[in-house]
Amino acid sequence: MPDTPDIADRRDAVCVIGAGASGLAAIKNLREHGFEVDCYERETSVGGAWNWRHDRSPVFAGTHLVTSRPLTEFPDFPMPDAWPDFPGHRQVLSYLERYSRHFDLERDVWFGTEVVSVVPVGDGRWDVTTQSTGGGSSRVQRYAGVVVANGHNWAPLKPKIPGDFSGQLIHSATLKDPAQLRKRKVLVIGGGNTGCDIAVEAAQQASTVWHSTRRGYWYAPKYVLGRPADQVNDRMLQLGLPLRLRQWLYRRALALTTGDLTRYGLQEPDHRPYESHPVVNSQLPLHLGHGRITPVPDVTSFDGAEAVLADGRRIEPDLVITATGYRPRFEFLAPELLGTGEDGRPDLHLHAFARQHPTLAVVGLVQADFGLFPIAHWQSVAVARWLRLRRTDPERATAVQQKESTRPVASWSRRRVVPGPRHWFEVDHADYLRAVEGLLHEMEPAR
Amino acid sequence: MTEETDAKLPPLLFVPGLGHGAWAFAEHWMPAAAARGFAAYALTPRPGGDLRAQAHDVVQVAASLPRQTVLVGHGAGALVVAYAMGRYPARAAVLAAPVMDGWPALGAALRVNPLGTLPALFGGRLRLHRKQLFGPDMPGERADEIIARLDARPRRELVTHGPAPRPAGNPPVLVVGSPDDRVVPRTSLDRTAARYGGAPLLFPGMGHELLLEAAWAEPIAAILDWLGKELET
């Protein structure tokens, strides 16, 4: 027997990695554009991050959407009218399962199969090596394109805090059940949506709650003027209100609702509204007001049972939860394929298209002031249309590529945000979707 | 309405037109589709709803069905289907005697049935005439029975609406009609079919009410045959 593996050529088929929301949207839209698809999913069911049964799922019992239903659903598959404005994670999972069943997507999903490596073999084609999750022999197949949809909220980013902590220290990813918080002294580190959600949950369960944030944030309520806040914001964007005016309105709205949070000991935001990923939480100010959450500054070190704070104070929690986010990881891809820098940040056109490899794309790698599903939908439509155009009209595809490469980054990526990994993929959904729409128009089939 | 439904076949969702309710399909077409193994559903559009609201209702119901759905609209219901297709990637769609261009339909109505149509222009009820809806083969008594059930209150939008959006997901679309339809002129049928890249499938001798006419069995059989062929590929 020759020792070279037998490579099964799947010809024009496209490989999709992951069957979460982004992967499912990719399968559906690639299929609608006439592609055969093989999707590999390491778990045994769909739903990705939203499936709490999955090892890598970051959801915990109380997880709810922070963006409202109409701005979160796939544009071509609405959630039921009878659902609440902000569905919980079980509803979101059932929605994804229904989406998958409705469009018969599981037909093309290989469950329990992990992608080990993706290697370009020239001419835009890829050799994808897969292995069943439990181990076993591997298999290589050749594809005309690869769409990576492996999610970016599963590899915990753990802060490096000097010193040893003798209590329990966990990352928010491993928090599943509110019972883990009950009657304990809990320190939550991190001011993002997850950190705030956990602090609020702890306020109802734990005996003492400290909430450590490095900087001040803008904590927006979930409802403004009786409407979900994101819908109000979206309306302002549709009306084309300039950023400065929106920032002013945002401050006014907060002054009238949440009020001044610095009097509870929170820090003043060091940036303007819209310059960091929006934190949406109506209950945090409430529990601050009830004295159930004590805001504290950054944790500088651990000392046995104690955590040392930036202001020199020492506190003694039983449980420390670091809600410090996640890092995108693509172990199956050589870093240069995605233009990944030293810091681990991939450099992709529209946060989706590999700059040097026209048949490689990543779907769902964005952070927006908007639901991710619609963005993943339009990204995957753009990818599908692009792959089709490359096949049906290579000359026009080249022209589109040349024109697209001159699109200024500032037109689709947010210019001013607080620097840091948290905002690597931050976009303003209106600008971003407009850019994707522009690309879609350019690739429109001739009529 | 299901008999022995075939799991491989997509569900059909019937959307009735102006003045009609789900009952109009329940008479003949739904049992016929069910007999061929299709799970058949029909909805009654929300009364008084505008085009956008009715299309929303269709998309909501379609998305609630277990599989990607075939939308079948009749009359003004076909227009609602055309709008719904912009929001929902239907498995396929059938536009039966579609009232897509309001002006020619209004012109035809004024010509054939001026007394019944005029009050509707001023917010009144549209009184439809037997000859307007049915061919000569339809027994008069039965025709009157059906007309008595209709409650048509057309909205201005039916005439003034903009062109239907481009369908999501590029589904196959069949336009069905009759050259002897006295509501939808032949030119309108051709134009609608051309917009969706085809020619209309015609049933001469039938009136507008393809689904309630004496010869109702022919169009639905042809529609199901077409669907069968489309779904194979």
Side-chain angles (χ1 to χ4, degrees):
Chain A
M1 286 288 283
D3 57 0
T4 50
D6 181 23
I7 296 170
D9 195 337
R10 294 283 284 115
R11 295 178 183 282
D12 292 331
V14 177
C15 171
V16 172
I17 301 172
S22 303
L24 292 173
I27 303 174
K28 177 184 155 291
N29 290 312
L30 283 164
R31 231 195 241 168
E32 262 175 22
H33 284 76
F35 287 98
E36 270 191 70
V37 183
D38 285 341
C39 172
Y40 297 107
E41 167 57 53
R42 62 187 294 281
E43 299 281 353
T44 53
S45 50
V46 299
W50 287 101
N51 196 325
W52 73 92
R53 300 182 193 96
H54 292 174
D55 302 346
R56 290 173 168 183
S57 166
V59 304
F60 76 105
T63 305
H64 276 73
L65 288 177
V66 292
T67 50
S68 68
R69 184 157 58 81
L71 302 191
T72 308
E73 64 198 10
F74 289 117
D76 57 355
F77 191 71
M79 293 187 192
D81 281 346
W83 278 15
D85 289 335
F86 297 96
H89 68 92
R90 279 164 209 276
Q91 279 172 312
V92 176
L93 174 62
S94 84
Y95 171 71
L96 293 176
E97 287 170 345
R98 273 192 26 230
Y99 179 76
S100 163
R101 218 170 24 243
H102 192 84
F103 294 108
D104 194 18
L105 304 178
E106 285 174 39
R107 194 176 78 208
D108 293 335
V109 184
W110 300 82
F111 289 107
T113 308
E114 212 163 352
V115 172
V116 184
S117 79
V118 174
V119 179
V121 288
D123 201 20
R125 297 165 66 72
W126 301 85
D127 275 357
V128 176
T129 311
T130 55
Q131 194 170 30
S132 65
T133 311
S137 61
S138 59
R139 182 181 158 85
V140 184
Q141 294 188 97
R142 189 159 289 176
Y143 290 96
V146 172
V147 175
V148 180
N150 67 334
H152 59 282
N153 284 333
W154 55 268
L157 177 62
K158 293 175 181 162
K160 292 189 185 68
I161 300 171
D164 286 320
F165 181 59
S166 59
Q168 192 186 3
L169 173 67
I170 62 171
H171 187 270
S172 60
T174 43
L175 180 72
K176 295 283 150 189
D177 188 345
Q180 286 169 269
L181 306 165
R182 210 158 285 159
K183 302 225 163 58
R184 301 176 79 178
K185 292 186 283 178
V186 178
L187 166 63
V188 183
I189 300 176
N193 280 302
T194 310
C196 293
D197 282 349
I198 293 173
V200 164
E201 190 68 45
Q204 299 164 66
Q205 308 285 348
S207 58
T208 309
V209 185
W210 295 281
H211 188 198
S212 159
T213 47
R214 187 169 295 177
R215 57 165 57 90
Y217 290 96
W218 297 96
Y219 297 101
K222 272 194 159 168
Y223 287 89
V224 182
L225 309 169
R227 301 288 305 164
D230 58 344
Q231 293 177 19
V232 175
N233 184 36
D234 189 50
R235 189 85 196 102
M236 291 201 295
L237 282 171
Q238 279 174 16
L239 292 173
L241 300 193
L243 180 65
R244 283 299 162 98
L245 180 57
R246 285 192 295 127
Q247 286 173 331
W248 181 82
L249 286 168
Y250 189 101
R251 284 172 195 261
R252 289 306 304 155
L254 245 55
L256 288 168
T257 49
T258 313
D260 177 15
L261 291 178
T262 57
R263 70 192 188 90
Y264 301 114
L266 283 176
Q267 297 164 64
E268 183 100 34
D270 56 1
H271 53 277
R272 293 201 184 92
Y274 298 111
E275 286 180 2
S276 66
H277 189 68
V279 179
V280 182
N281 197 312
S282 293
Q283 292 191 68
L284 189 81
L286 179 79
H287 290 292
L288 288 168
H290 286 184
R292 294 288 301 131
I293 297 175
T294 310
V296 293
D298 206 15
V299 177
T300 50
S301 65
F302 289 122
D303 183 9
E306 292 177 328
V308 183
L309 305 175
D311 58 2
R313 262 189 296 164
R314 286 166 171 262
I315 54 173
E316 220 174 299
D318 308 325
L319 172 66
V320 176
I321 302 169
T322 56
T324 40
Y326 300 84
R327 271 289 168 88
R329 277 178 69 180
F330 308 94
E331 304 103 324
F332 45 82
L333 281 172
E336 62 273 15
L337 296 175
L338 297 179
T340 305
E342 294 276 301
D343 53 358
R345 173 188 190 163
D347 174 32
L348 303 162
H349 180 59
L350 290 173
H351 290 321
F353 294 92
R355 293 187 191 273
Q356 305 299 329
H357 296 271
T359 53
L360 176 66
V362 181
V363 170
L365 185 62
V366 282
Q367 297 261 79
D369 47 346
F370 200 67
L372 182 63
F373 302 173
I375 291 178
H377 170 86
W378 291 116
Q379 281 182 330
S380 56
V381 171
V383 170
R385 212 175 262 188
W386 161 247
L387 290 177
R388 188 171 71 180
L389 186 67
R390 246 187 122 248
R391 203 163 72 181
T392 55
D393 193 347
E395 267 174 45
R396 208 163 126 223
T398 312
V400 168
Q401 195 174 18
Q402 269 163 8
K403 187 163 172 214
E404 196 59 23
S405 64
T406 60
R407 193 193 285 276
V409 173
S411 69
W412 54 270
S413 180
R414 190 175 287 170
R415 270 154 287 182
R416 270 185 67 106
V417 283
V418 175
R422 194 161 125 78
H423 296 115
W424 277 354
F425 311 110
E426 191 72 22
V427 295
D428 199 89
H429 78 271
D431 292 340
Y432 182 80
L433 288 176
R434 211 172 288 129
V436 174
E437 190 188 15
L439 173 61
L440 285 172
H441 279 311
E442 278 173 47
M443 300 191 293
E444 201 123 290
R447 303 204 97 203
Chain B
M1 189 178 276
T2 55
E3 288 177 15
E4 281 287 287
T5 58
D6 188 334
K8 284 200 287 286
L9 294 175
L12 307 186
L13 177 58
F14 291 99
V15 183
L18 193 63
H20 296 61
W23 57 266
F25 287 106
E27 300 263 317
H28 306 301
W29 278 22
M30 287 175 77
R36 294 266 293 260
F38 287 92
Y41 303 82
L43 64 88
T44 302
R46 81 171 82 163
D50 59 7
L51 203 47
R52 183 168 172 267
Q54 295 194 350
H56 173 93
D57 291 348
V58 171
V59 174
Q60 278 280 319
V61 174
S64 77
L65 296 178
R67 299 280 302 279
Q68 203 172 0
T69 304
V70 176
L71 302 177
V72 185
H74 171 254
L79 178 65
V80 176
V81 164
Y83 268 80
M85 276 197 286
R87 293 290 316 275
Y88 169 77
R91 183 70 185 78
V94 179
L95 309 178
V99 181
M100 300 289 277
D101 310 309
W103 289 111
L106 178 62
L110 283 172
R111 229 171 10 256
V112 180
N113 178 21
L115 289 180
T117 308
L118 271 171
L121 294 183
F122 304 97
R125 193 174 152 205
L126 177 67
R127 288 211 328 278
L128 291 152
H129 192 268
R130 204 200 284 179
K131 289 217 170 76
Q132 204 177 356
L133 297 180
F134 297 100
D137 295 342
M138 188 71 171
E141 229 172 85
R142 171 84 180 115
D144 289 339
E145 219 176 272
I146 291 168
I147 284 172
R149 280 192 87 169
L150 302 181
D151 180 23
R153 291 172 190 279
R155 301 171 58 98
R156 184 187 301 268
E157 206 185 1
L158 201 56
V159 173
T160 57
H161 66 84
R166 186 183 291 193
N170 216 6
V173 178
L174 176 69
V175 175
V176 180
S178 163
D180 305 312
D181 187 333
R182 298 177 80 179
V183 174
V184 184
R186 172 69 201 269
T187 47
S188 245
L189 278 180
D190 287 340
R191 197 161 41 235
T192 305
R195 192 183 303 159
Y196 292 98
L201 187 60
L202 296 174
F203 294 86
M206 293 186 80
H208 180 67
E209 296 285 318
L210 297 170
L211 65 169
L212 293 166
E213 271 272 41
W216 61 265
E218 287 172 38
I220 186 68
I223 288 169
L224 296 174
D225 288 345
W226 172 82
L227 258 183
K229 252 184 255 131
E230 282 299 326
L231 297 173
E232 267 169 34
T233 51

